[in-house]
């Protein structure tokens, strides 16, 4: 089996349905969801039906959170890890049952999770099926070479409605290096890039995507959060000889900080067709 698929299969199998299944930093996931929620509120304000594709949807937490908040969204999620999709479908079934009991808005018919490799997008999806919004959240960095990453960005473009958006929460090397420079100046060890991730280079990303998309924006949305948790909190942990705890109050509270700087490798990429 592909080692990256195996990694996610095992992580899902051992997760017990916990939110740290796709990253140990669970509050970071909330920050991503809030950012996406605000984006939808700003760009799709008319209340019309919004068709969303979530590529590499993991345990479906982002899709389910958005669908709960916004009754006009319809989401199709794909992930190549069977165990991730099993968790996502179990969460959907639980939520649908609760919604029915409470006589609340039906969620079941608005979300579908399926197993699928995003490198085979053209065979996964029905022909002439277009989306208003296509999301990847730390998924493209799992593709192991530049060609696959940029081919996928091109295929996403084909699947978007005119004026549709590709939204990515994806990592860039420049911010990663800046964060490590700061850490090193205060005696913290550099954070390593995980073996299964391949970060984007900003200039290359802009050059390639600008040829396809009418608007390209790369927004730093979590820099203050990273400065608080990976610099200040890490310094405290070092001084007290403690292992950082992702559930610490500083993680919980720092998602509310206004954004400053470029210290978070994960950036919010907004590409308009
Ligand atoms: C870092 S996790 C992020 C999951 C989710 N998007 C989230 O916000 O938490 C990356 C996910 O992408 C999936 N993935 C990686 N490569 C994939 C591929 N080629 N096709 C489909 N899914 C893939 C993994 O199985 C994993 O669930």
């Amino acid at each position: 089996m592909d080692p990256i698929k195996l990694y996610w299969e095992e992580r899902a199998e051992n997760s017990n349905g916990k939110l740290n299944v796709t990253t140990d930093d669970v509050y970071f996931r909330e920050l991503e969801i809030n950012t996406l929620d605000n984006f939808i509120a700003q760009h799709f304000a008319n209340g019309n039906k919004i068709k969303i594709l979530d590529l590499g949807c993991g345990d479906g937490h982002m899709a389910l959170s958005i669908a709960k908040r916004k009754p006009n969204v319809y989401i199709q999620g794909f992930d190549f890890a069977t165990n991730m999709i099993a968790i996502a479908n179990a969460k959907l079934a639980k939520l649908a049952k609760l919604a029915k009991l409470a006589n609340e808005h039906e969620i079941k018919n608005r979300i579908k999770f399926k197993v699928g490799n995003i490198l085979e997008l053209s065979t996964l999806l029905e022909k002439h099926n277009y989306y208003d919004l296509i999301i990847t959240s730390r998924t493209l960095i799992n593709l192991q070479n530049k060609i696959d990453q940029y081919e996928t960005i091109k295929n996403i473009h084909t699947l978007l409605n005119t004026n549709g958006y590709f939204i990515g929460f994806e990592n860039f090397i420049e911010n990663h290096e800046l964060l490590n420079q700061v850490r090193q100046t205060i005696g913290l060890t550099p954070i390593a890039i995980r073996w299964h991730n391949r970060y984007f280079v900003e200039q290359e990303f802009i050059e390639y995507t600008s040829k396809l998309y009418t608007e390209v924006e790369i927004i730093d949305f979590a820099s203050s959060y990273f400065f608080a948790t990976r610099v200040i909190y890490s310094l405290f942990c070092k001084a007290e000889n403690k292992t950082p705890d992702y559930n610490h109050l500083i993680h919980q509270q720092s998602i509310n900080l206004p954004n400053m700087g470029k210290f978070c490798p994960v950036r919010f990429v907004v590409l308009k067709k």
Side-chain angles (χ1 to χ4, degrees):
M1 192 191 286
D2 166 10
I4 299 183
K5 178 165 149 44
L6 182 65
Y7 171 81
W8 290 114
E9 292 286 16
E10 288 181 348
R11 208 167 152 135
E13 194 177 4
N14 299 324
S15 72
N16 294 322
K18 292 210 182 105
L19 280 183
N20 64 1
V21 61
T22 67
T23 168
D24 291 328
D25 195 343
V26 288
Y27 286 105
F28 185 75
R29 296 189 79 185
E30 289 316 301
L31 185 48
E32 285 179 326
I33 291 165
N34 293 344
T35 305
L36 175 61
D37 192 22
N38 289 338
F39 178 87
I40 294 174
Q42 277 172 20
H43 293 81
F44 297 89
N46 59 15
N48 291 346
K49 174 177 172 176
I50 310 168
K51 269 183 72 186
I52 301 179
L53 183 61
D54 184 357
L55 300 175
C57 61
D59 65 341
H61 178 60
M62 179 178 266
L64 292 164
S65 305
I66 293 294
K68 267 199 281 184
R69 295 182 196 185
K70 305 228 176 311
N72 56 328
V73 305
Y74 290 72
I75 309 182
Q76 167 77 67
F78 279 107
D79 202 288
F80 69 173
T82 315
N83 292 337
M84 286 288 181
I85 292 298
I87 296 175
N89 277 325
K91 284 187 176 184
L92 174 59
K94 196 170 165 192
L95 208 65
K97 205 168 163 187
L98 286 176
K100 203 169 176 188
L101 284 175
N103 229 358
E104 278 175 359
H105 195 88
E106 190 58 90
I107 203 166
K108 190 173 80 211
N109 302 327
R110 295 188 289 119
I111 306 193
K112 294 228 167 350
F113 295 115
K114 282 193 185 156
V115 176
N117 191 327
I118 66 164
L119 292 176
E120 294 154 11
L121 269 185
S122 51
T123 54
L124 286 182
L125 296 160
E126 288 164 36
K127 284 213 163 56
H128 310 300
N129 196 3
Y130 300 104
Y131 294 86
D132 302 306
L133 199 56
I134 301 183
I135 305 162
T136 66
S137 172
R138 293 166 280 109
T139 304
L140 296 184
I141 52 165
N142 274 188
L143 304 180
Q144 281 311 285
N145 61 69
K146 209 159 70 174
I147 297 174
D148 284 348
Q149 288 181 323
Y150 284 110
E151 259 314 288
T152 306
I153 292 177
K154 192 171 142 200
N155 292 338
I156 287 173
H157 179 269
T158 312
L159 292 167
L160 283 169
N161 280 321
T162 311
N163 294 323
Y165 290 92
F166 163 45
I167 296 297
F169 294 95
E170 298 291 344
N171 299 49
F172 286 78
I173 192 71
E174 293 81 0
N175 284 20
H176 172 78
E177 284 171 353
L178 192 62
L179 174 67
N180 276 339
Q181 276 169 27
V182 174
R183 283 176 60 93
Q184 276 176 303
T185 56
I186 52 171
L188 296 170
T189 52
I191 296 173
I193 296 178
R194 310 285 301 273
W195 66 270
H196 50 87
N197 289 335
R198 189 183 185 286
Y199 288 12
F200 284 100
V201 175
E202 179 175 338
Q203 200 48 41
E204 212 171 72
F205 184 91
I206 293 172
E207 269 170 30
Y208 182 87
T209 55
S210 312
K211 288 182 197 141
L212 283 174
Y213 291 83
T214 60
E215 288 173 26
V216 174
E217 243 189 308
I218 306 178
I219 301 163
D220 289 296
F221 73 106
S223 174
S224 302
Y225 177 80
F226 254 60
F227 197 85
T229 57
R230 271 50 171 203
V231 179
I232 299 171
Y233 176 50
S234 299
L235 197 59
F236 285 5
C237 288
K238 188 180 172 221
E240 292 179 336
N241 202 17
K242 283 186 181 160
T243 308
D245 169 11
Y246 288 101
N247 290 314
H248 192 278
L249 200 61
I250 193 159
H251 277 262
Q252 186 192 334
Q253 289 302 312
S254 298
I255 63 170
N256 301 313
L257 289 171
N259 193 67
M260 279 180 285
K262 289 174 174 289
F263 299 107
C264 177
V266 188
R267 303 172 81 188
F268 182 46
V269 169
V270 178
L271 307 185
K272 187 174 185 184
K273 182 157 176 173

